[in-house]
Amino acid sequence: MNDLGGHPDNCIFCRILDGKEEATFLYRNSRVSAFLDIHPLFEGHTLVIPNDHYVDISDVSEESLGEVMKVAQEVSNLMRKNLGAEGINIMHATGRPAGQTIYHFHVHVLPRRTGDDVEFQSWWFSRSHKASREELENLAGKLLRK
Ligand code: AMP
Ligand code: ZN
């Protein structure tokens, strides 16, 4: 938020919230909004965002984060009920290496259907390895270092 408590004008999502850019909203309350992604990876691909401008996972408030996830759950249920979704991926990117392109915190809710042709799991397994307990214990120690 800027000093006046409004939305930054250079943020596309804030502009959408202010009605300066169009979007197709599925949901809106005082804290959180959900609208359809302009470049859907799957039919129904939805973004859920806090109405206040937070950059990423590091600064989003606990209250907004909780509310975003609650609405992501509601949107997921609608996708299953009304769009034929058989599964859901909830994705988020913080930072450019993770794929973040819009620096207003958001989660992607992706409706998944059998045979929808994105082999996320086989890619995951082809890129990962079975870690040893020692490796995991060392990493936990590193992560929790004071
Ligand atoms: P990310 O790469 O995680 O930052 O995701 C940003 C997402 O915002 C992408 O999936 C874009 O397609 C989507 N997006 C960008 N501009 C708009 C817009 N004007 N309306 C709806 N979705 C948008
Ligand atoms: Zn913003």
Side-chain angles (χ1 to χ4, degrees):
M1 281 206 271
N2 64 27
D3 293 346
L4 301 171
H7 289 140
D9 209 45
N10 59 358
C11 170
I12 181 76
F13 288 176
C14 283
R15 289 179 60 79
I16 286 173
L17 293 171
D18 287 342
K20 294 175 181 159
E21 304 279 345
E22 59 178 8
T24 299
F25 282 88
L26 298 180
Y27 184 81
R28 202 161 175 182
N29 70 18
S30 61
R31 217 196 283 273
V32 166
S33 300
F35 53 89
L36 293 173
D37 196 293
I38 196 80
H39 285 283
L41 183 56
F42 304 100
E43 185 184 58
H45 180 167
T46 296
L47 300 171
V48 186
I49 72 171
N51 295 341
D52 289 338
H53 180 89
Y54 300 104
V55 174
D56 60 28
I57 193 69
S58 61
D59 68 335
V60 62
S61 73
E62 197 179 317
E63 295 75 23
S64 289
L65 184 60
E67 189 79 13
V68 162
M69 292 312 291
K70 202 175 106 197
V71 171
Q73 182 188 45
E74 285 165 16
V75 168
S76 301
N77 292 341
L78 286 176
M79 288 169 170
R80 293 177 82 119
K81 186 156 86 80
N82 296 330
L83 274 191
E86 299 163 281
I88 304 289
N89 283 127
I90 293 181
M91 301 188 71
H92 161 75
T94 279
R96 192 197 287 256
Q100 187 174 15
T101 58
I102 305 284
Y103 290 85
H104 180 131
F105 178 83
H106 54 280
V107 300
H108 298 256
V109 186
L110 304 173
R112 303 300 309 272
R113 301 162 186 95
T114 305
D116 66 16
D117 217 26
V118 177
E119 295 273 349
F120 191 52
Q121 199 154 15
S122 55
W123 167 81
W124 186 308
F125 277 104
S126 74
R127 295 290 304 240
S128 60
H129 68 283
K130 171 89 164 62
S132 68
R133 185 58 46 203
E134 188 189 8
E135 184 183 345
L136 297 179
E137 293 290 326
N138 282 338
L139 266 170
K142 195 171 169 183
L143 268 166
L144 298 173
R145 205 163 45 203
K146 296 249 161 36

